[in-house]
Amino acid sequence: MKLGAFSLSLTVKDIEVSRAFYEKLGFEVFHGEASQGWVIMKNDNVVIGLFQGMFDKNIMTFNPGWDNSAQEVNPFTDARDIQKALKEAGIAIENEVDETTNGPASFMITDPDGNSILIDQHR
């Protein structure tokens, strides 16, 4: 199972303050719109997303079909196949993807300690 690019999606109180903080750590804005409450930042191969007013808590995010530069990788494991394998392994799925569809899809799972994991396929 290939989960794709990994990033940490951080819920922030003030996106501009957080953006400035992470820039001091060497991160640069890679994608997103601060005016819409979200930016994706990168430092070498490390990717974080800053999200203001979108989530209740931090989320680990995997993007099947992408590398850490948001470039397509092939082959990749489709989100529906990941969901199916996780369900077969007894993991509860939140916001299930319709397995008869194709293209972009997302769903969430929660680890045993309450940490949210988003599988977010953009292609």
Side-chain angles (χ1 to χ4, degrees):
M1 176 181 325
K2 296 183 181 202
L3 295 176
F6 173 78
S7 63
L8 187 57
S9 300
L10 302 173
T11 184
V12 300
K13 295 176 187 172
D14 185 318
I15 197 157
E16 291 302 334
V17 169
S18 295
R19 180 193 51 77
F21 173 83
Y22 283 101
E23 285 176 342
K24 291 174 185 172
L25 294 177
F27 284 85
E28 296 179 359
V29 173
F30 171 66
H31 190 58
E33 293 290 332
S35 63
Q36 295 176 359
W38 68 283
V39 293
I40 308 301
M41 302 185 78
K42 195 171 176 188
N43 179 333
D44 197 23
N45 288 326
V46 178
V47 179
I48 60 172
L50 307 179
F51 297 89
Q52 183 177 338
M54 295 185 181
F55 306 121
D56 294 333
K57 59 184 179 177
N58 299 334
I59 301 172
M60 291 178 278
T61 303
F62 293 94
N63 301 115
W66 273 8
D67 66 15
N68 282 345
S69 294
Q71 299 298 307
E72 290 186 7
V73 295
N74 289 298
F76 73 99
T77 307
D78 188 89
R80 290 148 200 84
D81 295 328
I82 295 170
Q83 174 180 277
K84 184 177 179 181
L86 296 177
K87 285 169 59 176
E88 289 172 358
I91 295 176
I93 308 294
E94 301 169 35
N95 306 320
E96 276 192 38
V97 176
D98 180 350
E99 293 179 7
T100 65
T101 64
N102 57 39
S106 64
F107 65 90
M108 291 186 72
I109 60 175
T110 303
D111 78 7
D113 296 299
N115 299 302
S116 296
I117 301 170
L118 173 64
I119 308 297
D120 191 19
Q121 180 176 309
H122 295 280
R123 55 182 277 217

